[in-house]
Amino acid sequence: MTKYYQKKYLTMLVLLLSMMAHSAWAQTIKGEITDTNKNPLIGASVVEKGTTNGSITDFNGQFNLNLSDGANSVLVISFVGYIDQEIKVGNQSNFNVILQEDIAELEELVVIGYGTQKKKNISGAIAAVDAKALEGRPVADFANALQGQIAGLQVVGESGQPGEETTIRVRGTGTINGGSNPLIVIDNVIMTNGQGISSINPADIESVNVLKDASAAAIYGARAANGVIIVTTKRGKASDAPTVGFNFFAGVQSASKKLDMLNSEQYRDVMNAARDNAGMPRIPNLDKPLQHDTDWQDAVLRPAAINNYEVTFSGGNAKTRYFGSVNHYDEGGIIMNSGFKRTSARLNTDTQLGRLKIGTSMFYSQNNRDNQFATGTGDAGDLGALRWALASSPNVEIYNPNNLGGFNGHQIADGDREILNPVAAQTLVEDIKQINRFLANAFAEIEIIEGLTYRLNAGADISNTHDRMWAPEFDQGNGVMPPGLPFGAQLDEQRSNYQALLLENTLNFKRKIGKHDFGLLAGHSVQNTASAFQSISVIGGNLSPEYPVIDGSPNINGIPKGNIFETRTISYLGRAIYDYDSKYLATVNFRRDGSSMFTKGNMFDNFFSASAGWNISNEDFFNVQEINELKLRGSWGFLGNDQIDANATRSVVNNNPRYVFNGGELAQGVAPSPQIGNPNLVWEKQEQMNVGVDLLAFNNKLSFTADYFVKTSRDLLLSYSLPEATGFGNMFLNAAAVQNRGWEFATNYNTKVGAVNLNIGGNITFLKNEVLELIDGLEAIERDRSSHFTFRNRIEPGQSLFAIYGFKHDGIYQSQDEIDAGPTPMEGQPTKPGDVRYVDVNGDGKITDEDRTFIGDGNQDIMYGFNFGGNYKNLDFGLQFQGVYGNEVFNESSYEYSGYVRSFNMTTDVLDAWTPTNPSNTRHRHIPATEANNKVASSYWVEDASYIRLKNVQIGYTFNDHQLDKISWLKGLRVYVSAQNLFTISDYSGYDPAVVFGAVSSQLLYPTPRSFVGGVNIKF
């Protein structure tokens, strides 16, 4: 063998021995990685430190890895949202690793418009709540559950009707004729169709973020003046093993309060006294022995069941995540045969393909609302069953099998008019609204280069609504058709379709250079909306319970209606965010919006904001150990409001006129509408200023936030009445300016006392609403706020938008000498002892319209909420209180049911009425409203509507892992009980002081219920 080959073989032998030695020292390991709940973390990274040698966990959270350095190796284990771990291998070959959540990382991100931002670096006013704030609440919409939980957020239910939309205000009302509800964005879909939040399953929601100032909201431009609420629904996590959940609650609800109404004897005595005092004949059926004693209020109100069933499924790994739910919610109404049912389904997905991220959010719901029937006939007619129940004579029985339909009713002999039997209406008449709604969002996001991301977002909001009212023929005695249904059988059908399509393109650039952190956003958005509406009513003919269809009668009731409407909004948007070393913060937003609702010259406008912040606690000179974070921030900017009358800029035609030809032939025509268009209208604009401070202290146990804000709304749209000589009725003008200013404070404290973890929190808002100016030549605006009585609202500079205007009362006249002493009573009916005495405000010696003044303010001066909760081992508990202070309300129930209106029944308050032997100074004498001047709008009917309410109580028990070990297929179990609206403390005498904004109580529509439920949450 030559030396060359000897050398070659020797080299190969050395290499072979080296490989064998390396193989002898190599080590293969395996293991499982889970979270603290023993859920496998799918896609977790396991890397041999100092090398590129690594692996990721599989579907079961397990991994295998061949080590290059054997026992000397160190494993670096990491997963997004969890704290990294380093483990020295040593002699181990099987590892069970539990990763802890990185709480700081999870909590510091806040959802803002078109992105997220670290909470500590936010310079705007944003409030956020998570899913825990909504859990276990038996509510149809999430806004109701937020009441009292966020400073500056006013939430009022327009009635207790199940499924009724909630009225929401962010930092007050800043418009007159425009819409005042905030913009709601759900999973990047901008909601425009009357919000429709009762369609959304509250249990699907992961977080709710309220953008309150210009800096936070200006990225939404012309839609942001009323604030922005961003709702993010739940999504799967990369660490989630497949999980199935079942959530259920059931309970009962009932009226939280009833009015004390007169019984038959009391009603007879009071009504006879009133008629006698007026010199009027007595009501026939009250001038003879009484026959009945019916409690109509009890007959209409009832306990009602409420239940909810939900199945969820979720899971994910490093590439794909998903969350889905199917829900059925069924809430019976406390007014008989009313209620709300919602069936919904959701599927959210996320997929990561290298640099490309794709996601979808799809949601479908069907709402069925069984309304209380309302006829729209005026007086007690158009407010439904409860109104009729309170008005009906207790001397009238409910049922009469001899009448068609089997019911009796309030006849002329029982009073001065007929009243529809509310039990008959709720039993025989069907009034159902069905809404099918589909919300969808899909996005594709790609990282073009490091830090630069392009995102395409498409959204759709599609719904169709069907309102159907079917009333069979029935009578209430003497063969007379009931009020509101004078033609016998009647069928009303109304259908509407709505579609909103959204397309957005955005570029987002993030880069950190040393201590400088930059974020830039640029985008384009376009949204098209289209709606169609049709309605028809038929009567008589062959309509019957067996044939309740439009074809059942050729007799059309009124005029069929229909319309089609389309709008388009185009927007260009941009944002720049900067912070230096997390100390000095700045944000600038810009949006240019164009809307087809305005004429060409006024179609586009610009909206912008700027904010700055200073994290004082990050400064080197700051050395206060008790304070973890201290930040000052301020913002300023302009926003807009596009919630205006769609035809405000246009003159439209009226298709109701009828023309007579050839001596009697009737033909339909058109004529100019009473409203004349104003092509010069511009956007309602709002200037906002906000300064605030954020504090975290005592190892993050205490949080505190304070804000001072000023919102000035200008160019407000006003429907202005025109002189009759013009031939038109009204036109819209940019005619007013309104300001809302105030303070907000919110705090929360977490501590531990022994084995008990406690949480105490609260918030309070001080709000001043003021009209600043009206258009030149306009001193004030007076408008009726009810079709049932003469209550008026006066809008005048220096006053609130909700100022109550009328006469100021000063007790009750006790004698004729008091009357003769002056001032001269108002003209109309004669004033006698026992009547209301009014103040001569202008001092001219007589009571006239010139003596009307401001007698109350419906603005809520102070809104507050506080909560107390905690847990002891597996037991958790929570209390939430909520209330308002400083607002007055015109008490509708007192006005109509202690004011001797027609022959309506009344509350027992009238038993304390003035008589010569009972010289009351609080209740006027028994006298019909038409025979005295007691029924004018005055402070006599105005009450303080301040209240405090125990909004929610909840107690729960969560079974721990040890308790569930024997049930291998069960991952989690919690049971709980809760109560809503447990009690209310208030001087208000009506059903509920929590009334709709505008200073008039509307709870005669539908009282607020009190509910008790029990529930269970199960994870498989």
Side-chain angles (χ1 to χ4, degrees):
M1 182 179 297
T2 64
K3 291 183 178 180
Y4 171 77
Y5 286 109
Q6 289 177 345
K7 186 176 181 179
K8 182 176 180 180
Y9 290 144
L10 182 60
T11 301
M12 292 178 63
L13 180 61
V14 171
L15 288 173
L16 180 60
L17 291 173
S18 298
M19 292 175 64
M20 292 175 63
H22 182 273
S23 178
W25 285 102
Q27 184 175 347
T28 300
I29 62 172
K30 62 181 181 179
E32 180 183 31
I33 300 175
T34 63
D35 62 14
T36 54
N37 294 320
K38 298 184 179 180
N39 295 316
L41 296 179
I42 305 166
S45 172
V46 183
V47 176
E48 188 175 359
K49 189 174 182 178
T51 73
T52 58
N53 182 37
S55 177
I56 62 172
T57 55
D58 61 17
F59 198 73
N60 296 313
Q62 298 178 347
F63 69 92
N64 289 278
L65 180 64
N66 292 321
L67 300 177
S68 59
D69 197 17
N72 297 321
S73 298
V74 175
L75 302 180
V76 179
I77 301 171
S78 61
F79 191 76
V80 176
Y82 289 77
I83 300 173
D84 293 352
Q85 278 195 37
E86 291 190 5
I87 301 174
K88 189 172 182 179
V89 173
N91 297 324
Q92 297 183 75
S93 60
N94 193 7
F95 295 81
N96 291 309
V97 182
I98 299 175
L99 292 185
Q100 303 289 327
E101 283 187 311
D102 189 345
I103 301 299
E105 179 179 342
L106 293 175
E107 291 185 348
E108 70 178 359
L109 290 181
V110 174
V111 177
I112 59 176
Y114 301 94
T116 59
Q117 191 176 2
K118 292 181 179 179
K119 184 177 181 179
K120 66 179 181 180
N121 291 341
I122 287 176
S123 52
I126 300 177
V129 295
D130 59 17
K132 292 181 180 179
L134 310 176
E135 288 178 353
R137 307 272 183 125
V139 294
D141 70 80
F142 68 86
N144 189 286
L146 296 179
Q147 189 177 36
Q149 298 203 60
I150 295 177
L153 187 71
Q154 297 169 278
V155 180
V156 174
E158 293 193 11
S159 80
Q161 166 80 45
E164 186 77 26
E165 291 297 333
T166 303
T167 300
I168 308 172
R169 298 289 183 269
V170 177
R171 291 181 168 179
T173 300
T175 185
I176 299 175
N177 291 122
S180 299
N181 277 336
L183 177 70
I184 295 181
V185 182
I186 300 179
D187 288 339
N188 300 309
V189 178
I190 295 175
M191 308 284 283
T192 58
N193 185 22
Q195 310 299 2
I197 58 177
S198 62
S199 299
I200 307 301
N201 175 18
D204 285 346
I205 294 175
E206 180 71 25
S207 66
V208 178
N209 292 265
V210 181
L211 316 185
K212 296 189 284 188
D213 72 339
S215 173
I219 198 67
Y220 290 103
R223 298 172 170 183
N226 300 317
V228 180
I229 297 178
I230 299 179
V231 179
T232 303
T233 60
K234 296 175 181 177
R235 311 190 77 84
K237 298 179 181 179
S239 62
D240 283 354
T243 301
V244 176
F246 175 71
N247 304 314
F248 167 76
F249 65 74
V252 65
Q253 57 185 10
S254 58
S256 56
K257 182 179 180 180
K258 293 182 180 179
L259 301 185
D260 293 326
M261 306 300 293
L262 299 177
N263 62 30
S264 289
E265 289 187 5
Q266 295 167 334
Y267 176 66
R268 176 197 60 195
D269 295 344
V270 168
M271 294 307 297
N272 286 346
R275 294 295 181 109
D276 292 347
N277 288 339
M280 299 172 63
R282 292 183 173 184
I283 295 171
N285 286 343
L286 296 182
D287 200 25
K288 58 185 181 181
L290 300 173
Q291 300 296 315
H292 308 284
D293 191 13
T294 300
D295 188 332
W296 287 96
Q297 186 178 207
D298 268 358
V300 169
L301 296 176
R302 61 164 191 181
I306 179 171
N307 54 75
N308 180 82
Y309 307 86
E310 181 185 38
V311 176
T312 65
F313 54 94
S314 62
N317 53 38
K319 291 186 177 181
T320 302
R321 296 175 286 139
Y322 59 89
F323 171 85
S325 71
V326 178
N327 171 255
H328 179 72
Y329 176 83
D330 187 346
E331 179 182 356
I334 60 174
I335 290 180
M336 60 180 299
N337 296 332
S338 64
F340 175 77
K341 295 180 181 180
R342 179 187 60 228
T343 301
S344 66
R346 172 176 296 280
L347 179 62
N348 295 344
T349 65
D350 296 278
T351 302
Q352 185 78 47
L353 301 173
R355 291 188 173 184
L356 177 64
K357 181 188 296 184
I358 301 172
T360 62
S361 298
M362 292 181 288
F363 175 79
Y364 169 79
S365 72
Q366 182 182 92
N367 293 1
N368 289 281
R369 193 172 78 187
D370 198 342
N371 299 311
Q372 59 166 334
F373 174 60
T375 64
T377 58
D379 286 323
D382 62 347
L383 292 182
L386 187 59
R387 193 86 176 218
W388 306 324
L390 297 178
S392 293
S393 167
N395 191 39
V396 175
E397 63 180 338
I398 299 174
Y399 303 98
N400 187 336
N402 297 320
N403 292 337
L404 179 62
F407 290 91
N408 201 25
H410 186 114
Q411 304 294 327
I412 296 296
D414 300 301
D416 57 4
R417 61 161 291 165
E418 295 177 343
I419 299 176
L420 181 59
N421 182 328
V423 179
Q426 290 304 107
T427 302
L428 300 176
V429 180
E430 297 178 2
D431 190 350
I432 298 175
K433 176 190 284 288
Q434 183 182 93
I435 302 175
N436 292 282
R437 190 161 198 167
F438 177 69
L439 286 174
N441 171 256
F443 72 88
E445 184 176 286
I446 187 168
E447 187 177 21
I448 301 173
I449 59 174
E450 183 180 354
L452 179 62
T453 303
Y454 165 73
R455 182 184 178 103
L456 172 65
N457 184 72
D461 179 4
I462 301 170
S463 64
N464 62 74
T465 302
H466 179 203
D467 290 275
R468 183 179 186 274
M469 190 285 294
W470 157 244
E473 183 176 351
F474 67 99
D475 70 69
Q476 299 186 164
N478 301 323
V480 178
M481 295 298 103
L485 297 168
F487 307 109
Q490 180 174 327
L491 176 63
D492 298 344
E493 295 266 6
Q494 178 178 303
R495 295 182 183 272
S496 60
N497 299 295
Y498 175 84
Q499 175 180 282
L501 301 178
L502 175 71
L503 185 65
E504 296 179 317
N505 293 271
T506 57
L507 283 172
N508 206 327
F509 179 72
K510 294 182 179 181
R511 179 62 59 87
K512 187 169 186 178
I513 303 174
K515 296 182 178 181
H516 303 274
D517 205 340
F518 301 90
L520 301 174
L521 172 73
H524 174 264
S525 173
V526 58
Q527 186 168 32
N528 292 340
T529 66
S531 61
F533 165 85
Q534 312 88 33
S535 69
I536 190 172
S537 175
V538 294
I539 53 177
N542 294 319
L543 289 174
S544 68
E546 292 76 27
Y547 199 47
V549 294
I550 294 296
D551 284 347
S553 175
N555 306 317
I556 297 177
N557 182 28
I559 303 170
K561 297 178 181 179
N563 59 51
I564 297 175
F565 198 81
E566 296 182 1
T567 64
R568 170 175 286 195
T569 301
I570 300 176
S571 307
Y572 305 90
L573 55 103
R575 177 172 60 211
I577 299 175
Y578 170 78
D579 82 73
Y580 174 77
D581 198 23
S582 291
K583 295 180 182 179
Y584 313 115
L585 320 170
T587 301
V588 177
N589 292 283
F590 173 80
R591 184 160 178 144
R592 180 171 174 80
D593 282 314
S595 172
S596 61
M597 287 191 292
F598 294 91
T599 55
K600 187 174 182 180
N602 298 318
M603 186 175 295
F604 281 89
D605 213 332
N606 301 321
F607 307 92
F608 58 89
S609 71
S611 65
W614 179 24
N615 273 322
I616 302 174
S617 54
N618 288 346
E619 295 285 2
D620 294 337
F621 64 77
F622 190 86
N623 188 25
V624 182
Q625 294 183 352
E626 292 81 4
I627 296 179
N628 305 105
E629 290 185 17
L630 177 62
K631 177 173 64 178
L632 296 179
R633 49 184 169 76
S635 67
W636 171 81
F638 288 89
L639 307 174
N641 182 18
D642 67 348
Q643 298 180 53
I644 66 170
D645 188 297
N647 290 316
T649 62
R650 303 173 180 85
S651 296
V652 295
V653 296
N654 178 3
N655 66 348
N656 290 330
R658 298 295 183 267
Y659 298 87
V660 180
F661 295 97
N662 301 324
E665 184 179 345
L666 195 66
Q668 181 176 347
V670 295
S673 167
Q675 177 181 308
I676 184 172
N678 181 0
N680 297 317
L681 287 180
V682 298
W683 298 81
E684 290 190 350
K685 299 184 186 69
Q686 188 178 96
E687 181 181 6
Q688 291 193 16
M689 183 276 293
N690 189 96
V691 292
V693 59
D694 299 324
L695 171 73
L696 284 175
F698 308 119
N699 293 323
N700 298 326
K701 290 181 178 180
L702 174 68
S703 65
F704 174 78
T705 296
D707 284 274
Y708 175 73
F709 62 90
V710 179
K711 294 171 48 176
T712 304
S713 305
R714 301 189 183 277
D715 293 327
L716 300 186
L717 264 66
L718 170 69
S719 179
Y720 184 74
S721 297
L722 298 173
E724 292 184 4
T726 64
F728 294 94
N730 71 293
M731 73 181 299
F732 282 91
L733 300 173
N734 294 110
V738 172
Q739 186 178 90
N740 289 277
R741 62 184 182 273
W743 290 88
E744 293 175 354
F745 301 95
T747 187
N748 197 74
Y749 183 71
N750 295 286
T751 189
K752 189 171 184 178
V753 180
V756 181
N757 296 300
L758 296 176
N759 173 270
I760 303 170
N763 66 83
I764 189 169
T765 302
F766 300 87
L767 179 66
K768 173 71 173 178
N769 178 277
E770 181 181 0
V771 179
L772 297 182
E773 62 186 25
L774 297 176
I775 195 171
D776 290 343
L778 191 61
E779 177 184 349
I781 304 166
E782 287 192 32
R783 53 182 180 173
D784 292 325
R785 297 310 301 264
S786 174
S787 61
H788 308 286
F789 41 81
T790 57
F791 166 69
R792 295 183 71 79
N793 167 226
R794 182 178 172 92
I795 299 174
E796 180 180 303
Q799 299 292 330
S800 160
L801 273 178
F802 308 112
I804 306 173
Y805 194 68
F807 293 94
K808 185 177 180 180
H809 92 288
D810 185 25
I812 304 295
Y813 282 115
Q814 299 297 317
S815 67
Q816 187 61 43
D817 289 342
E818 283 189 23
I819 299 173
D820 295 339
T824 302
M826 67 177 61
E827 296 181 355
Q829 299 301 322
T831 298
K832 296 183 178 181
D835 286 337
V836 178
R837 180 173 55 209
Y838 301 107
V839 176
D840 180 17
V841 173
N842 65 359
D844 65 357
K846 54 185 178 180
I847 304 298
T848 67
D849 280 353
E850 300 303 314
D851 292 306
R852 292 181 303 160
T853 186
F854 293 99
I855 55 176
D857 184 359
N859 182 64
Q860 299 173 347
D861 296 331
I862 302 175
M863 298 149 284
Y864 58 89
F866 55 93
N867 59 272
F868 174 74
N871 66 277
Y872 171 72
K873 296 184 179 180
N874 297 357
L875 185 70
D876 61 86
F877 59 92
L879 300 173
Q880 186 213 342
F881 291 85
Q882 172 267 329
V884 302
Y885 176 81
N887 62 310
E888 290 83 31
V889 62
F890 193 98
N891 189 342
E892 188 175 4
S893 59
S894 179
Y895 185 85
E896 294 212 357
Y897 300 113
S898 65
Y900 302 84
V901 178
R902 305 188 73 96
S903 61
F904 297 166
N905 193 12
M906 289 181 282
T907 61
T908 55
D909 297 330
V910 300
L911 297 177
D912 189 39
W914 183 96
T915 67
T917 59
N918 180 44
S920 171
N921 202 38
T922 57
R923 286 289 168 184
H924 66 73
R925 64 186 175 122
H926 299 306
I927 189 74
T930 56
E931 305 304 309
N933 295 318
N934 299 321
K935 197 192 171 189
V936 298
S938 73
S939 58
Y940 184 84
W941 308 107
V942 175
E943 297 185 19
D944 182 2
S946 304
Y947 71 91
I948 181 172
R949 169 174 293 163
L950 180 51
K951 179 72 175 176
N952 182 263
V953 179
Q954 188 168 151
I955 300 174
Y957 185 88
T958 302
F959 291 82
N960 58 36
D961 291 343
H962 176 71
Q963 293 169 314
L964 299 177
D965 278 346
K966 295 180 181 180
I967 311 174
S968 59
W969 47 268
L970 197 59
K971 294 183 179 179
L973 175 62
R974 179 178 183 264
V975 295
Y976 64 91
V977 293
S978 72
Q980 291 273 114
N981 303 321
L982 201 58
F983 66 79
T984 301
I985 301 174
S986 176
D987 291 333
Y988 178 68
S989 64
Y991 277 113
D992 190 348
V995 299
V996 176
F997 305 101
V1000 181
S1001 166
S1002 69
Q1003 292 298 328
L1004 283 173
L1005 287 167
Y1006 209 113
T1008 301
R1010 176 189 295 120
S1011 61
F1012 299 89
V1013 303
V1016 59
N1017 306 127
I1018 305 173
K1019 286 186 178 181
F1020 302 98

